[in-house]
């Protein structure tokens, strides 16, 4: 009997075949990571053609160790970060606590081997930033899986919000800012790897996380604040694996690496934070009383710090009017009679209280507040002075906590008030992204950065000094033929520098630079007065000594040749002679002035001394010969003329016209 063929049963008319839905590309892991990476890099694509700016000189262009390339790596890891710039270990005390951040200078040294110039550094900054955004997304995505009630876009939105924040321009558009990027990358990667290790009960992951944490600390010490964040993540977000306090065993390698880092750091620059320096630019909590800088009262210091904390919160939510510099007195000295110190104190206490109160029901909000407070604590000036009132780069790490907390708050609001609330997130990301792109061009070079930001922040002595300095430099770089038409550079520089010394009356460099502007404007008496005051502040200030000499000789020459005021000429030139008895130009001008005034013996003496300073200079020898001839010493004069002719054939015809 033939076998009957088996027929497939047709589905019942009322049944339905369930097929897995096709996932949209923007909801896939690859799609989201790719989108975030490209978004982050493109935000800073308009910086790729920029030059070096701001502190790039300290860590790259003027850092003699970084310029050695690979051969300098050992030195970078065995000295304070400032050493390669100042070449003096004593400069480690310029700011309280010193700076040991060798990792990113080592990266710059390796990049020097590939090729000089800023393009590669700027490109890699953007790429590292893109990598950071991806790791933040991966961490938040995994943590969100433990809280099953979150929308699919939570991690994507939080990472995008962080990526777009305009405050990050100082960290990404400025090459030196890579230390911020790498420090946070190491800290976030460590958090992610340690958490995954606890979930999978795989201890090797914890070791990998510890290595990332150590590298983050080598980039910038701020990464160490994640010692408070990582345990919180382990305890707040548990899906599987070891539960409760047992998960803390996976934190132990990170804790061990923190000890190793602190031991290494202390062996290089010491563990002590040191005493605050008595210089306003490196210690903003000073005031001038009876010509002396003294510490602010404890009340005014704390009020100023709390006002700054309020400003930080304002910038996170309303990032407009950004500047790279908040040195004294960009942040004014405050008292408790103002409202903003109370707002700063109250809002931060409220944030901490809400995080503790709601940590069980709003865990991502609590995590965000913890990251914000922990990472801000080390730069807040609450516990120790960091050398400046505030800085936008100090918000780079805390802004991650802000982005997480804000995204969590919008998720909560969208559930309570309707899904349309969630549209706030892409709107803010779009606006912040545009603000970032528009802010980037300011970082093109020092001239653009300083002269742009000083208009928005006219109360920072350091920024005013920098703006004045770059204007003087720009004027001097112009061809002589175009300098008269660009004297506005010098008058603006003088205005900037005058304001700088009004804010900081003992700012020696500002007096020096204002003296330079006055000198180029041929306001010689004003220039001399500025150099004199700089030397009153610091008698060993060599640039002021050198420029004072130039100013005195220029003033003497102008008095004699342009105004025919020989008395004034002698007054300037004799002071220059006292300052440097063997300066050739001073001796030459004194010789000329003496000859014109009929003091032939004095003229002969000055030209003889000038020739001794430059024995191989044909012009110096010819001038000495002329003085001898005028004094009636014809044979001796002829000897000098012959020497000059031997050095510079044709000088006789040039000087005699035949």
């Amino acid at each position: 009997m033939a076998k009957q063929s088996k027929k497939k049963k047709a589905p019942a008319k009322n049944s339905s075949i369930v097929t897995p839905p096709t996932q949209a590309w923007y909801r896939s892991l690859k799609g989201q990571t790719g989108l975030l990476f490209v978004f982050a890099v493109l935000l800073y694509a308009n910086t790729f053609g920029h030059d070096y700016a701001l502190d790039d000189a300290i860590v790259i262009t003027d850092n003699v160790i970084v310029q050695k390339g690979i051969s300098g790596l050992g030195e970078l890891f065995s000295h304070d970060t400032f050493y390669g710039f100042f070449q003096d270990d004593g400069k480690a005390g310029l700011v309280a606590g010193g700076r040991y951040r060798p990792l990113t200078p080592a990266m710059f040294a390796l990049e020097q081997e590939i090729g000089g110039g800023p393009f590669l550094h700027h490109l890699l900054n953007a790429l590292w930033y893109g990598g950071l955004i991806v790791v933040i997304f991966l961490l938040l995505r995994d943590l969100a899986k433990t809280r099953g009630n979150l929308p699919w876009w939570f991690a994507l939105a939080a990472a995008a919000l962080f990526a777009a924040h305009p405050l990050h321009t100082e960290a990404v558009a400025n090459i030196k800012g890579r230390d911020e990027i790498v420090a946070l990358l190491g800290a976030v990667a460590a958090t992610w790897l340690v958490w995954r290790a606890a979930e999978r009960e795989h201890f090797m992951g914890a070791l990998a996380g510890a290595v990332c944490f150590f590298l983050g600390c080598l980039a910038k010490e701020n990464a160490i604040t994640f010692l408070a964040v990582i345990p919180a993540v382990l305890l707040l977000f548990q899906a599987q694996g070891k539960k409760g306090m047992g998960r803390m065993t996976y934190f132990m390698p990170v804790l061990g690496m923190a000890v190793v880092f602190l031991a290494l750091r202390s062996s290089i620059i010491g563990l002590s934070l040191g005493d605050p320096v008595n210089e306003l630019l490196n210690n903003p909590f000073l005031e001038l009383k009876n010509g002396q800088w003294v510490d602010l009262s404890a009340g005014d210091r704390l009020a100023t710090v709390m006002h700054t904390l309020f400003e930080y919160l304002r910038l996170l939510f309303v990032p407009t009017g950004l500047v790279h510099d908040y040195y004294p007195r960009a942040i004014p000295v405050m008292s408790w009679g103002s409202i903003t110190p109370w707002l700063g104190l109250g809002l931060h206490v409220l944030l901490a209280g809400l995080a503790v109160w709601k940590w069980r029901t709003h865990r991502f909000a609590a995590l965000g507040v913890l990251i914000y407070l922990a990472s801000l604590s080390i730069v807040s000036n609450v516990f120790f002075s960091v050398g400046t009132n505030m800085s936008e780069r100090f918000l780079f790490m805390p802004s991650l906590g802000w982005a997480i907390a804000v995204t969590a708050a919008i998720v909560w609001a969208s559930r309570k008030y309707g899904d349309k609330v969630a549209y706030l997130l892409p709107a803010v990301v779009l606006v912040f992204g545009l603000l970032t792109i528009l802010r980037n061009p300011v970082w093109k070079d020092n001239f653009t950065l300083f002269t742009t930001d000083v208009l928005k922040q006219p109360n920072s002595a350091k920024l005013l000094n920098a703006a004045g300095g770059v204007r003087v430099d720009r004027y001097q770089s112009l061809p002589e033929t175009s300098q008269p038409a660009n004297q506005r550079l010098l008058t603006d520089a003088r205005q900037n520098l005058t304001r700088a010394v009004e804010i900081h009356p003992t700012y020696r460099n500002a007096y020096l630079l204002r003296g330079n502007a006055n000198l180029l404007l041929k306001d010689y008496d004003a220039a001399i007065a500025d150099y004199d005051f700089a030397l009153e502040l610091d008698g060993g200030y060599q640039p002021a000594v050198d420029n004072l000499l130039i100013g005195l000789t220029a003033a003497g020459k102008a008095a004699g040749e342009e105004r025919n005021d020989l008395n004034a000429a002698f007054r300037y030139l004799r002071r220059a002679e006292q300052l440097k008895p063997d300066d050739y130009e001073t001796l030459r001008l004194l010789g000329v002035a003496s000859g014109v005034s009929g003091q032939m013996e004095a003229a002969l003496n000055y030209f003889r001394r000038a020739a001794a300073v430059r024995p191989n200079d044909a012009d110096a020898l010819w001038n000495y010969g002329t003085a001898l001839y005028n004094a009636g010493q014809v044979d001796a004069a002829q000897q000098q003329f012959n020497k000059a002719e031997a050095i510079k054939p044709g000088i006789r015809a040039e000087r005699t016209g035949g």
Side-chain angles (χ1 to χ4, degrees):
M1 191 169 116
K3 292 183 179 180
Q4 293 181 341
S5 62
K6 293 182 179 179
K7 293 183 179 181
K8 293 181 179 179
K9 289 185 177 180
K13 290 182 179 181
N14 293 329
S15 68
S16 60
I17 300 175
V18 179
T19 58
T22 302
Q23 190 177 50
W25 69 270
Y26 57 83
R27 295 186 64 169
S28 68
L29 178 61
K30 288 184 179 179
Q32 291 183 346
T33 54
L35 182 66
L36 284 169
F37 181 81
V38 171
F39 174 65
V41 173
L42 288 181
L43 281 173
Y44 291 92
N46 61 340
T47 68
F48 295 167
H50 287 185
D51 203 347
Y52 297 106
L54 202 60
D55 291 336
D56 291 345
I58 293 177
V59 296
I60 305 175
T61 57
D62 293 343
N63 191 303
V64 295
I65 301 177
V66 169
Q67 291 299 313
K68 292 178 182 180
I70 293 176
S71 63
L73 293 180
E75 290 179 88
L76 288 173
F77 283 88
S78 58
H79 289 285
D80 179 274
T81 300
F82 288 153
Y83 179 77
F85 178 73
F86 292 110
Q87 299 178 63
D88 180 1
D89 277 320
K91 298 292 185 179
L94 280 176
V95 288
R99 298 291 183 266
Y100 182 65
R101 302 167 182 173
L103 183 57
T104 47
M107 296 168 75
F108 300 142
L110 293 173
E111 289 156 29
Q112 288 295 113
E113 291 286 337
I114 299 173
F119 169 77
L120 180 61
H121 300 309
H122 281 297
L123 173 63
L124 289 173
N125 261 29
L127 294 176
W128 280 108
Y129 187 62
L132 167 62
I133 302 306
V134 168
V135 174
I136 288 171
F137 165 71
L138 293 174
L139 168 65
L140 296 179
R141 182 177 180 271
D142 277 0
L143 296 184
K145 291 177 182 178
T146 68
R147 319 303 300 166
N149 57 348
L150 287 171
W152 66 267
W153 46 261
F154 172 79
L156 179 69
L161 184 60
F162 176 82
H165 209 298
L167 283 171
H168 299 170
T169 52
E170 186 169 352
V172 189
N174 180 211
I175 299 169
K176 184 267 176 192
R178 193 183 302 174
D179 55 1
E180 301 282 355
I181 300 171
V182 176
L184 185 55
L185 176 59
V188 174
T191 306
W192 184 42
L193 290 171
V194 170
W195 181 85
R196 284 166 58 92
E199 288 294 297
R200 300 177 179 184
E201 299 187 350
H202 193 274
F203 202 75
M204 289 301 294
L207 295 177
V211 171
C212 290
F213 177 80
F214 180 69
L215 293 174
C217 291
L218 288 178
K220 193 171 183 180
E221 301 93 335
N222 301 41
I224 207 163
T225 58
F226 268 63
L227 287 177
V229 174
I230 297 173
V233 169
L234 288 173
L235 297 176
L236 285 174
F237 302 94
Q238 303 179 40
Q240 57 190 24
K242 190 173 289 186
K243 300 286 185 178
M245 294 301 294
R247 296 165 67 86
M248 297 303 293
T249 57
Y250 296 92
F251 173 62
M252 292 301 105
V254 169
L255 194 59
M257 276 299 183
V259 173
V260 171
F261 168 73
L262 291 175
L264 175 62
R265 185 182 189 277
S266 65
S267 70
I268 303 298
I269 63 173
L271 190 58
S272 172
L273 295 176
D275 297 322
V277 296
N278 197 39
E279 160 54 48
L280 185 64
L281 292 181
N282 292 320
N283 180 8
F285 302 110
L286 298 173
E287 59 182 336
L288 196 63
K289 286 187 176 180
N290 300 320
Q292 298 292 324
W293 290 105
V294 298
D295 292 333
L296 291 177
S297 68
D300 286 353
R301 184 190 189 282
L302 185 59
T304 303
V305 170
M306 291 301 142
H307 167 79
T308 304
L309 293 181
F310 171 76
E311 285 296 307
Y312 278 143
L313 280 177
R314 182 188 66 80
L315 284 174
L316 283 168
F317 285 95
V318 188
T320 57
L322 301 184
V323 294
H324 74 280
D325 186 293
Y326 291 88
Y327 276 80
R329 298 286 187 203
I331 301 298
V333 175
M334 302 298 292
S335 71
W336 290 103
S338 301
I339 186 63
T340 51
W342 290 105
L343 289 173
L345 176 61
L347 288 171
H348 283 79
V349 170
L350 179 63
L351 283 173
L354 285 174
V356 172
W357 183 32
K358 296 289 187 179
W359 72 269
R360 288 184 179 276
T361 55
H362 297 80
R363 298 196 177 192
F364 273 105
L367 174 63
V369 171
L370 174 61
I371 293 174
Y372 170 75
L373 292 176
S375 55
L376 186 62
S377 66
I378 201 170
V379 292
S380 66
N381 286 308
V382 171
F383 303 106
F384 52 85
S385 177
V386 296
T388 185
N389 286 111
M390 66 180 288
S391 176
E392 289 169 11
R393 69 180 181 275
F394 291 168
L395 281 176
F396 185 76
M397 194 173 283
S399 66
L400 172 59
W402 173 86
I404 294 170
V406 166
T407 306
I410 290 178
V411 168
W412 173 83
S414 67
R415 288 173 177 161
K416 188 172 181 65
Y417 301 108
D419 291 342
K420 290 184 179 180
V421 174
Y423 289 114
L424 279 172
L425 281 168
V428 172
V429 169
L430 177 61
V431 172
F432 277 18
L434 289 174
L435 290 175
T436 294
I437 293 169
L438 292 173
R439 173 66 179 165
N440 285 338
V442 175
W443 288 90
K444 177 184 177 183
D445 53 34
N446 279 340
F447 184 86
T448 306
L449 180 64
F450 298 155
T451 57
T452 300
D453 281 5
V454 77
L455 298 175
K456 293 182 286 184
Q457 182 46 266
N459 294 317
S460 164
K462 186 176 181 181
L463 178 52
L464 288 159
N465 185 69
V470 294
R471 286 188 163 109
V472 172
D473 290 343
R474 176 61 61 89
Y475 178 86
Q476 291 182 290
S477 69
L478 296 172
E480 287 188 18
T481 54
S482 63
Q483 285 181 343
N486 288 277
Q487 285 202 343
R488 175 68 182 273
L489 287 167
L490 297 178
T491 56
D492 285 349
R494 185 163 60 181
Q495 183 178 359
N496 291 152
L497 295 160
T498 297
R499 177 61 183 145
V501 298
E502 288 172 356
I503 295 169
H504 185 355
T506 61
Y507 198 170
R508 66 173 194 175
N509 189 246
Y511 286 106
L512 173 76
L513 294 177
R514 190 174 69 174
N516 295 348
N518 283 322
L519 183 61
L520 292 167
L521 286 166
K522 299 184 180 179
D523 190 348
Y524 299 120
D525 287 336
I528 291 167
D530 281 331
Y531 297 141
D532 280 339
F533 199 84
L535 289 170
E536 283 184 33
L537 295 171
D538 181 358
Y541 191 26
Q542 195 58 45
V545 174
D546 296 339
N547 291 5
L548 175 59
L549 180 66
I550 295 170
L552 288 168
T553 55
K557 184 177 181 180
E561 296 181 359
E562 297 173 15
R563 303 196 306 273
N564 198 29
D565 186 348
L566 291 178
N567 289 332
F570 277 119
R571 186 171 66 252
Y572 291 123
L573 294 172
R574 283 172 180 158
R575 188 178 169 204
E577 182 187 12
Q578 291 176 347
L579 195 64
K580 188 175 181 182
D582 60 349
D583 179 67
Y584 172 78
E585 184 64 9
T586 300
L587 295 171
R588 185 189 73 80
L589 291 171
L590 280 167
V592 172
S594 297
V596 171
S597 63
Q599 304 174 51
M600 295 304 173
E601 191 64 31
L604 179 60
N605 180 53
Y606 282 124
F607 282 122
R608 177 186 58 78
R609 288 169 59 190
V613 172
R614 293 187 181 178
N616 297 314
D617 187 313
D619 291 312
L621 295 174
W622 189 273
N623 292 339
Y624 180 34
T626 301
L628 287 167
Y629 185 85
N630 292 335
Q633 302 180 38
V634 178
D635 291 340
Q638 194 59 47
Q639 291 178 4
Q640 298 302 318
F641 293 149
N642 291 338
K643 288 181 182 179
E645 183 69 25
I647 294 171
K648 184 180 178 182
I651 191 174
R652 188 186 303 274
E654 176 187 315
R655 290 298 190 96
T656 62

